């Protein structure tokens, strides 16, 4: 089940803060991520639109969101239940959507119209989107919306350089009002707090201040006689129309004298310019905080300004990147400002008063190429074509360190068995080792002649590093300790495509395009132990976690399994039909024909070695059972049709007599300007006016804890984990095992019996209740009398309990006693139990890091207080000795 998307933090669309101002909603392609800035967590909601999300509207109470994609298909989403409530199609691209402050209406702008809808209510209804009024007026596309604080009126900015103020109800003295005064496209318009005064901002960095002669309370409702007349006329129209369009309001740019009598009037009070003399810097985004009168503007050069209105005083300005800022949002208190840059996929949250970053995240600029899990499954390292190596925390989904030492694309990354060293191979001819304690590049391995490295492997001790080259067909072996080149293995006659060390023995398997897999014995002076002949070019090779079996994927789409001790093939899977290629827009041949030449490019065994994950140049990842050699499950990585090669057949609607519409470069140079395309660019030519990235899976890896797996795709880094929801999955259940019986057994203090019964029923809440009812003095006795079968189950339960529970010491006593008493027996089944032990280690390690940081901080504070008191020459009682200190210290010692 999909559990998270890492590696991309923002694509395009508008950012919005939640109502409490602590979380930020960011559109990532066709999904939406929620960044919890207070608790430093990020989650991606398990729902997706068909195309990339273009705009997001958030209801004032923060429970509903409207997501609208590039073609105008909308999803109404509940942010509480994290599910889709309603789907609606607007038929045309939508520029912006905004809820009224009272939450009763929302406005959508598309083409040159504004549509006012009734907002979906609290109760269930057949149609969630009911059209109330349609507003005509602007001559060109509408761009932005802002509401007055009491939801009586709203303003709409347009590309025809005009701004229109419309009444949400029909007011006698304000139906519509058009404001000019600009020389470029309107980027944003904002009402002043509790008034009809308006600020409009255009793309050429000009700000107009408009003053209104009427207060909001001065808006008079229509007299009932006129209203009835209007209604009658509207009804006559409606009889002719098939579908009810709602009420229509037609605005004119130059109304007659008689129409403007006794109506609201606007006058321009001031006009300010952001650019200094001679600067031509386009303004691309703006946000205004009404309570603090703070205006934030972002520019195409990556600069942003903070101004105080209405006096237009500059507070400060800063450059955050060299790409255009495409979205700005301010939270409700006005302290935090979020910026999104779609060019680099950057997301920043800036606290302007202290001038510091609350959040600073950026994905890989190009696609990710490879990933690796740390041995405890807590971190994931990814390498991208932009030459960056990033390390992500799986529990918070944030990147906490980026290494930028490589000058060219990274082709492979891996962790050593200690989990504190990352190795990365690159096309710039180096293999670099990074250390996760001090975050530095401490070793750089190079070859005698410069060569491009395509794959990388490190043995289980972490001492020997091997990398295969693309152009010299050799494998280079270095020592981790000295950084010296130990040997160069020659023998292959084609580029090396993949390397893998046997986890149990010092044997290296190397795959090459010369249709062979060679096994090298590391201890016996690097001689070739065995050569396995394939009938096609070999793309990837992987060992089973126990080292007894080797899986090989070749160019003809086959996965073969080998017993490498005896060089015998034990089985094969014909996987070409399971890949299900899509057809690219500009492909001349059908997907079915193209699939004949396709194959798996990445393989990985599951943690228990019973199944194998395979992915390639398609939107599917396949899981096979190795023993039975059958397809167990196919995961569809993405349903985003903004990516190329998603559909199996071309869309007939895009076909003309001259060929596909995709061949035509639409739009005469949109916002970004157009360059001449370069010939032979495979990756999606950035110089096209629109280019579609192709959907592909570059690398899949299984987590050592056995509870999740990850894939690097065009979309980003996708995590899939076991379903952690409620499933009734009893284990050896009897008739007399019921919750009431378990409680009875507990009250009679038969703890072991109660634990066994609770595991038979397998209800997590119940197991937790039973275990927490055992007094800590009895834990030893209970552990020694527990049957072997339940020891594993209890360990797995403890590992998952550590993630949520606050009873740290109590659960540590349990774990300690279980491992001390049953350690020897568990060792015999170590292969099967390894994932559970990894899971346990990950949970304890996380607590250890948190607690040890806290202890160090407290110890430092106490020392500081003591030092201060000694300096004064008189002993004062140290103020900062909270009671937790001793307890935490003993705890962290215990963890050691």
């Amino acid at each position: 089940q999909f559990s998270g998307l890492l590696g991309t933090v923002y694509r395009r669309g508008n950012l919005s803060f939640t109502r409490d101002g602590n979380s930020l909603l960011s559109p990532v392609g066709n999904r939406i991520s929620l960044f919890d800035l207070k608790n430093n967590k990020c989650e991606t909601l398990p729902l997706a639109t068909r195309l990339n999300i273009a705009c997001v509207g958030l209801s004032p109470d923060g429970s509903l969101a409207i997501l609208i994609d590039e073609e105008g298909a909308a999803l109404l989403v509940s942010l509480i239940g994290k599910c889709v409530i309603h789907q609606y199609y607007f038929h045309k691209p939508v520029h912006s959507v905004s809820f009224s402050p009272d939450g009763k209406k929302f406005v959508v702008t598309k083409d040159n119209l504004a549509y006012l809808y009734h907002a979906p209510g609290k109760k269930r209804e057949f149609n969630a989107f009911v059209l109330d009024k349609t507003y005509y007026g602007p001559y060109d596309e509408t761009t932005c919306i802002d509401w007055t604080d009491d939801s009586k009126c709203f303003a709409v900015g347009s590309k025809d350089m005009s701004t229109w103020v419309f009444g949400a109800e029909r007011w006698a003295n304000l139906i519509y009002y058009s404001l000019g005064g600009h020389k470029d496209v309107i980027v944003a318009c904002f009402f002043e707090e509790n008034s009809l005064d308006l600020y409009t901002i255009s793309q050429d960095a000009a700000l107009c201040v408009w003053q209104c002669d009427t207060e909001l309370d001065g808006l008079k409702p229509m007299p009932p006689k006129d209203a009835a007349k209007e209604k009658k006329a509207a009804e006559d129209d409606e009889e002719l129309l098939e579908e009810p369009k709602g009420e229509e309001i037609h605005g004119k740019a130059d109304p007659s004298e008689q129409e403007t009598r006794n109506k609201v009037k606007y006058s321009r009070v001031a006009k300010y310019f952001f650019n200094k003399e001679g600067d031509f810097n386009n303004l691309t985004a703006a946000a205004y905080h009404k309570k603090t009168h703070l205006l934030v503007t972002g520019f195409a050069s990556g600069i942003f300004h903070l101004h105080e209105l209405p006096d237009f005083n500059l507070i400060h300005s800063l450059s955050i990147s060299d790409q255009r800022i495409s979205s700005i949002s301010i939270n409700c208190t006005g302290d935090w400002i979020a910026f999104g840059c779609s060019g680099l996929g950057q997301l920043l949250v800036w606290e302007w008063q202290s001038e510091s970053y609350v959040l600073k995240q950026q994905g890989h600029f190009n696609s990710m190429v490879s990933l690796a899990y740390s041995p405890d499954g807590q971190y994931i390292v990814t390498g991208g074509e932009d030459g960056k190596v990033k390390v992500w925390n799986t529990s918070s989904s944030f990147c906490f360190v980026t290494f930028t030492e490589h000058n060219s694309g990274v082709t492979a990354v891996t962790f050593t068995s200690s989990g504190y060293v990352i190795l990365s191979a690159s096309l710039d001819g180096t293999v670099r080792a990074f250390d996760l304690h001090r975050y530095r590049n401490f070793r750089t391995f190079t070859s005698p002649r410069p060569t491009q490295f395509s794959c990388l492997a490190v043995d289980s001790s972490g001492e020997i590093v091997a990398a295969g080259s693309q152009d010299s067909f050799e494998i280079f072996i270095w020592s981790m300790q000295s950084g010296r080149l130990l040997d160069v293995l020659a023998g292959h006659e084609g580029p090396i495509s993949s390397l893998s060390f046997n986890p149990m023995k010092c044997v290296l398997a190397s795959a090459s395009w010369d249709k062979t897999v060679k096994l090298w014995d590391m201890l016996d002076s690097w001689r070739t132990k065995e050569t396995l002949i394939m009938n096609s070019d070999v793309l990837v090779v992987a060992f089973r976690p126990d080292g007894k079996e080797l899986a090989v994927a070749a160019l003809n789409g086959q996965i073969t399994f080998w017993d490498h001790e005896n060089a015998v093939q034990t089985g094969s899977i014909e996987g070409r039909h399971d890949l299900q290629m899509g057809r690219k827009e500009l492909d001349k041949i059908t997907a079915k024909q193209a699939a004949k030449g396709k194959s798996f490019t990445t393989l990985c065994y599951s943690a228990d070695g019973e199944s194998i994950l395979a992915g390639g140049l398609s939107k599917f990842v396949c899981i096979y059972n190795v023993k039975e050699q059958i397809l167990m499950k196919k995961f569809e990585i993405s349903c985003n049709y903004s990516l190329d090669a998603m559909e199996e057949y071309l869309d007939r609607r895009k076909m003309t007599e001259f060929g596909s519409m995709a061949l035509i470069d639409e739009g005469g140079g949109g916002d970004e300007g157009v360059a001449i395309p370069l010939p032979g660019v495979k990756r999606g030519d950035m110089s096209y006016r629109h280019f579609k990235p192709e959907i592909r899976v570059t690398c899949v890896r299984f987590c050592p804890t056995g509870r999740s797996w990850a894939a690097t795709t065009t979309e980003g880094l996708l995590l899939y984990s076991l379903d952690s929801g409620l499933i009734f999955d009893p284990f050896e259940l009897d008739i007399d095992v019921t919750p009431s019986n378990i409680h009875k057994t507990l009250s009679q203090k038969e703890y072991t019996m109660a634990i066994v019964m609770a595991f038979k029923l397998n209800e997590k809440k119940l197991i937790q209740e039973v275990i927490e009812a055992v007094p800590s003095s009895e834990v030893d006795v209970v552990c020694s009398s527990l049957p072997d079968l339940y020891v594993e189950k209890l360990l797995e339960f403890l590992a998952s309990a550590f993630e949520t529970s606050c009873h740290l010491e109590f659960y540590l006593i349990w774990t300690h006693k279980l491992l001390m008493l049953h350690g020897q027996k568990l060792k015999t089944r170590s292969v099967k139990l390894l994932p559970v032990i990894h899971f346990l280690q990950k949970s304890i390690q996380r607590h250890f890091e948190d607690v040890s940081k806290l202890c160090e901080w407290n110890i430092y504070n106490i020392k500081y207080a003591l030092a201060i008191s000694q300096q004064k020459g008189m002993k004062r009682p140290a103020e900062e000795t909270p009671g937790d200190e001793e307890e935490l210290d003993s705890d962290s010692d215990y963890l050691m």
Side-chain angles (χ1 to χ4, degrees):
Q1 184 199 356
F2 177 76
S3 78
L5 172 68
L6 283 70
T8 28
V9 285
Y10 171 74
R11 276 276 168 72
R12 55 163 294 190
N14 56 320
L15 302 167
S16 32
F17 276 100
T18 51
R19 185 175 157 207
D20 56 3
N22 297 337
S23 305
L24 179 68
L25 274 177
S26 164
V28 186
N30 66 335
R31 299 179 188 275
I32 191 145
S33 290
L34 188 65
F35 292 92
D36 186 345
L37 302 173
K38 274 270 160 43
N39 306 325
N40 200 29
K41 272 203 170 59
C42 158
E43 64 166 331
T44 306
L45 304 190
L47 44 98
T49 54
R50 249 181 67 102
L51 296 157
N52 286 338
I53 294 173
C55 53
V56 178
L58 199 60
S59 69
D61 59 358
S63 61
L64 296 176
I66 296 178
L67 316 179
I68 306 180
D69 70 18
E70 292 164 341
E71 275 185 1
L75 294 182
L76 177 67
V77 171
S78 157
L79 294 178
I80 300 164
K82 303 190 170 70
C83 58
V84 176
I85 301 173
H86 183 70
Q87 296 181 345
Y88 188 81
Y89 189 41
F90 284 111
H91 295 290
K92 294 243 177 86
V94 170
H95 300 290
S96 50
V97 51
S98 171
F99 275 90
S100 65
D102 62 6
K104 289 182 179 164
K105 306 272 176 81
F106 68 89
V107 171
V108 166
T109 59
K110 64 179 194 195
D111 279 349
N112 58 345
L113 308 179
Y115 294 91
L116 182 68
Y117 284 85
H118 290 287
K122 293 280 179 286
K123 57 185 191 302
R124 285 194 166 175
E125 52 222 325
F126 174 65
N127 182 10
F129 290 15
V130 182
L131 184 61
D132 183 19
K133 295 185 179 70
T134 309
Y135 295 89
Y136 294 84
Y139 292 103
D140 202 348
E141 293 183 11
T142 42
T143 52
C144 54
I145 309 168
D146 191 50
W147 283 85
T148 54
D149 284 352
D150 59 0
S151 312
K152 285 184 177 174
C153 303
F154 63 91
V156 172
S158 162
K159 283 191 180 173
D160 67 0
M161 306 180 249
S162 63
T163 309
W164 293 72
V165 181
F166 291 114
E169 309 289 326
R170 281 215 155 197
W171 306 110
N173 50 353
L174 173 63
I175 298 174
Y176 60 87
Y177 200 102
S178 140
L179 305 165
H182 281 289
K183 299 180 187 167
D184 208 341
V185 177
I186 307 288
V187 174
C189 50
F190 305 109
F191 281 107
E192 189 51 86
E193 189 181 14
N194 293 324
S195 104
L196 279 169
D197 297 351
L198 189 69
Y199 302 110
T200 58
I201 299 166
S202 64
Q203 193 176 296
D204 59 357
L207 165 77
C208 287
V209 184
W210 302 89
Q211 197 172 4
C212 181
D213 62 355
T214 315
E215 285 303 304
L216 279 170
D217 309 338
L219 290 174
K220 302 194 269 293
M222 276 264 189
K225 189 172 66 178
D226 295 4
K229 237 190 239 166
E230 297 250 341
K231 216 169 183 65
K232 183 91 179 67
E235 274 169 11
D236 293 348
D237 286 355
E238 242 169 56
E239 282 169 13
L240 307 173
L241 291 169
E242 300 240 333
E243 51 174 312
K245 273 200 164 176
E247 206 176 327
E248 293 190 5
I249 291 165
H250 292 265
K252 300 186 193 127
D254 42 356
S256 60
E257 189 68 30
Q258 161 206 352
E259 281 181 36
T260 54
R261 204 174 302 137
N262 305 333
K263 297 278 169 80
V264 169
K265 281 197 178 61
Y266 274 96
S267 53
R268 192 173 82 191
V269 190
K271 185 169 185 179
Y272 300 109
F273 297 94
F274 291 92
N275 287 335
K276 298 186 189 69
E277 279 292 312
D279 271 6
F280 295 103
N281 199 351
N282 270 0
L283 190 146
T284 53
Y288 180 59
H289 191 254
K290 294 183 182 178
K291 289 193 178 59
T292 53
H293 303 287
L294 181 75
L295 176 73
V296 188
T297 48
F299 293 84
S301 60
I303 294 174
F304 72 90
H305 295 319
L306 267 72
H307 283 90
E308 190 178 17
L309 293 180
D311 305 328
F312 200 68
N313 302 329
L314 182 69
I315 301 172
H316 79 207
S317 68
L318 185 77
S319 172
I320 48 173
S321 77
D322 49 1
Q323 299 270 343
R324 67 193 281 267
I325 297 173
S326 37
S327 176
I328 300 180
S329 176
I330 310 181
N331 78 341
C332 55
T333 55
D335 303 333
W336 292 349
I337 305 167
F339 298 97
C341 302
S342 54
L344 291 170
Q346 248 179 346
L347 181 65
L348 310 164
V349 178
W350 172 258
E351 186 168 22
W352 63 274
Q353 281 149 327
S354 66
E355 302 199 5
S356 60
Y357 286 112
V358 181
L359 168 84
K360 189 179 185 191
Q361 290 283 309
Q362 182 179 347
H364 285 283
F365 180 60
N366 281 343
S367 50
M368 295 185 199
V369 177
S370 66
L371 87 143
Y373 269 101
S374 64
D376 60 359
Q378 205 172 344
Y379 305 123
I380 293 180
V381 59
T382 58
E385 286 175 352
D386 54 358
K388 291 193 174 75
V389 175
K390 288 179 176 277
V391 190
W392 307 84
N393 187 331
T394 51
S395 50
S396 75
S397 305
F398 282 132
C399 167
F400 61 91
V401 60
T402 304
F403 299 110
T404 55
E405 274 79 5
H406 284 295
N407 319 327
S408 183
V410 176
T411 51
V413 286
T414 176
F415 270 95
T416 59
S417 52
S418 68
Y420 289 109
V421 175
I422 292 169
L423 287 154
S424 64
S426 164
L427 296 174
D428 63 3
T430 60
V431 173
R432 294 177 187 266
F434 304 98
D435 144 44
L436 277 190
H437 286 304
R438 296 204 186 87
Y439 298 141
R440 65 198 176 106
N441 171 207
F442 68 94
R443 283 259 185 288
T444 304
F445 308 106
T446 54
S447 53
R449 279 202 308 275
T451 169
Q452 295 188 324
F453 295 118
S454 58
C455 49
L456 175 72
V458 59
D459 79 329
S460 49
S461 65
E463 291 303 310
I464 297 171
V465 180
S469 110
Q470 273 186 359
D471 34 18
S472 68
F473 312 160
E474 292 163 332
I475 300 164
F476 297 88
I477 311 284
W478 296 274
S479 153
M480 189 72 161
Q481 288 286 333
S482 62
R484 285 183 29 223
L485 183 67
L486 298 177
D487 206 341
V488 179
L489 309 182
H492 279 295
E493 295 159 18
I496 316 290
S497 54
S498 174
L499 294 175
S500 176
F501 268 102
N502 188 329
M504 297 303 163
K505 296 200 194 95
C506 228
V507 173
L508 174 71
S510 65
S512 163
W513 294 8
D514 63 4
K515 305 188 183 180
T516 62
V517 172
K518 289 187 189 297
L519 296 163
W520 311 82
D521 196 347
M522 295 285 138
L523 306 172
D524 190 13
S525 73
W526 317 100
R527 282 224 308 279
T528 317
K529 202 174 125 189
E530 197 72 63
T531 302
L532 312 175
I533 310 286
M534 305 289 162
N535 45 11
S536 173
D537 299 12
V538 187
L539 299 179
V540 58
V541 51
F543 273 104
R544 204 164 70 186
D546 61 1
K548 298 259 170 61
E549 188 177 67
L550 183 69
V552 178
L555 195 59
N556 57 5
Q558 269 190 342
I559 304 173
T560 49
F561 301 99
W562 295 76
D563 169 8
H564 59 92
E565 295 289 311
N566 314 317
V568 188
Q569 182 175 336
T570 55
S572 78
I573 293 171
E574 190 67 60
R576 196 184 312 143
H577 303 296
D578 302 328
L579 254 175
Q580 266 195 346
M581 279 292 300
R583 179 168 176 180
K584 295 210 288 288
E585 282 188 340
L586 304 177
D587 272 358
K588 298 283 186 285
I589 53 173
T590 59
K592 200 172 174 185
Q593 289 294 333
K596 292 183 179 172
K598 291 299 182 271
S599 53
F600 293 113
T601 53
T602 172
L603 283 183
C604 175
Y605 273 100
S606 64
D608 55 9
E610 282 175 15
S611 42
I612 194 162
L613 277 173
L617 295 178
S618 90
K619 59 177 176 177
F620 290 105
V621 169
C622 305
I623 297 191
Y624 294 99
N625 185 323
V626 177
K627 204 163 147 210
E628 304 291 335
Q629 295 171 15
I630 52 172
L631 180 67
M632 285 159 55
K633 190 164 167 64
K634 236 159 77 166
F635 286 94
E636 189 173 357
I637 287 295
S638 167
C639 57
N640 186 357
Y641 285 94
S642 298
L643 300 171
D644 211 352
M646 280 294 293
E647 299 177 271
E648 201 170 333
Y649 302 106
L650 287 183
D651 192 345
R652 287 278 158 78
R653 284 168 295 188
K654 291 186 182 159
M655 287 313 220
T656 61
E657 53 186 311
F658 307 110
S660 169
M661 297 274 278
L663 289 163
I664 306 164
D665 271 356
E666 289 162 12
D671 313 335
E672 287 84 27
V674 180
I676 296 165
L678 306 167
V681 178
K682 177 86 176 96
R683 195 173 298 136
D685 190 347
M686 298 290 273
S687 59
Y688 262 126
R689 291 182 197 152
H690 69 278
F691 85 100
K692 276 187 155 187
E694 188 182 338
I695 181 81
R696 55 170 66 178
V697 178
T698 45
C699 187
V700 290
R701 286 289 175 267
F702 218 95
C703 181
T705 62
R707 299 187 65 79
S708 63
W709 58 272
T712 51
T713 66
T714 319
E715 287 255 53
L717 172 61
L718 300 173
L719 288 185
Y720 286 81
S721 64
L722 288 180
D723 192 356
S724 52
L726 283 173
I727 297 176
F728 179 62
D729 180 18
F731 177 75
E732 296 187 355
L733 195 59
D734 297 338
I735 285 177
D736 53 350
V737 178
T738 59
S740 53
N741 275 1
I742 293 174
H743 288 133
K744 204 191 288 175
T745 319
L746 256 188
S747 58
Q748 292 163 3
K749 303 204 167 160
E750 294 181 16
Y751 298 118
T752 316
M753 191 64 202
I755 287 175
V756 170
M757 283 166 77
F759 271 113
K760 280 185 174 173
L761 205 58
N762 214 352
E763 283 277 335
K764 196 168 177 183
K765 284 268 190 306
L766 199 61
I767 299 172
Q768 189 171 340
E769 190 185 330
V770 170
I771 285 179
E772 285 174 8
V774 179
S776 54
S777 53
E778 297 274 319
V779 171
D780 209 350
V781 185
V782 174
C783 282
S784 59
S785 60
L786 206 63
D788 287 349
L789 193 61
Y790 293 94
V791 173
E792 289 175 40
K793 289 195 167 295
L794 186 51
L795 277 176
E796 194 167 343
F797 170 76
L798 288 172
S800 62
F802 270 119
E803 293 196 323
T804 50
S805 174
C806 52
H807 304 298
L808 190 56
E809 190 174 6
F810 179 68
Y811 280 133
L812 279 171
I813 295 171
W814 269 101
T815 315
H816 188 216
K817 292 282 187 259
L818 274 179
L819 293 174
M820 292 301 281
L821 291 163
H822 297 273
Q824 286 304 321
K825 286 180 193 161
L826 293 176
K827 237 177 184 168
T828 56
R829 296 199 302 283
S830 63
V831 176
K832 201 174 165 198
L833 272 181
L834 205 57
V836 176
I837 301 292
H838 274 313
F839 188 28
L840 195 63
Q841 183 191 353
K842 171 184 167 180
S843 306
I844 293 178
Q845 180 70 25
R846 211 183 84 229
H847 279 295
F848 172 63
E849 280 171 10
D850 293 349
V851 173
S852 58
K853 271 182 198 160
L854 194 61
C855 290
E856 279 166 16
W857 169 244
N858 285 344
I859 291 167
Y860 165 75
N861 271 350
I862 292 168
K863 281 185 182 165
Y864 176 71
L866 287 172
I868 291 284
S869 67
Q870 281 164 4
Q871 270 181 357
K872 292 284 166 65
M874 49 183 274
K875 272 283 196 197
R876 287 178 308 182
E879 295 125 331
E880 311 188 30
T881 47
D884 291 350
E885 234 56 280
E886 290 72 16
E887 190 179 306
L888 283 170
D889 272 3
S890 64
D891 220 325
S892 66
D893 291 347
Y894 182 67
L895 275 159
M896 296 288 197

